[in-house]
Amino acid sequence: MGARGGIMLGAGRSGVGENLRDWEATQILAGPDGKLAYWASPDGGARVSFPMVSQGPKEIVFANPAHDYPQRIRYWLDGETLNAEISLIDGSNAMRWSYRRTQ
């Protein structure tokens, strides 16, 4: 969802047919220091913070080296496509997704 009141909310789920494999609730918001952080709550578990480590005109990267996996979350725009990648801090063991507007 787009930003409103200083927070962006997201949700995702995966599975096949009626079978749910996993789901996640996410937020991007500014902390008390004003720095953005990505918060993830996979399968309803405890929220985990990934502070922003870099930002460019079409890219933002969040990282938490102390987390098991993922340690880095990266979003970037390529034309009209939003790409997302999760990986270990060094970029290894990466998984990627691409999203396009439906409206």
Side-chain angles (χ1 to χ4, degrees):
M1 289 186 233
R4 179 178 290 172
I7 186 172
M8 294 179 76
L9 299 173
R13 64 179 179 198
S14 65
V16 176
E18 292 296 315
N19 296 316
L20 179 65
R21 188 177 71 201
D22 52 44
W23 64 277
E24 182 173 50
T26 60
Q27 307 91 36
I28 297 176
L29 60 128
D33 61 359
K35 188 174 180 180
L36 290 177
Y38 181 101
W39 289 85
S41 179
D43 295 319
R47 287 176 28 163
V48 177
S49 176
F50 295 83
M52 183 184 73
V53 294
S54 68
Q55 180 180 15
K58 295 187 177 191
E59 177 186 66
I60 190 163
V61 180
F62 302 92
N64 179 341
H67 193 252
D68 57 357
Y69 186 88
Q71 295 175 330
R72 186 175 74 175
I73 301 167
R74 177 180 170 231
Y75 288 96
W76 71 99
L77 279 174
D78 183 10
E80 293 294 313
T81 302
L82 175 65
N83 297 290
E85 177 183 80
I86 61 173
S87 68
L88 293 175
I89 201 72
D90 64 1
S92 65
N93 202 21
M95 296 177 66
R96 289 186 177 177
W97 297 265
S98 294
Y99 305 96
R100 290 182 170 244
R101 289 182 190 258
T102 58
Q103 297 178 359

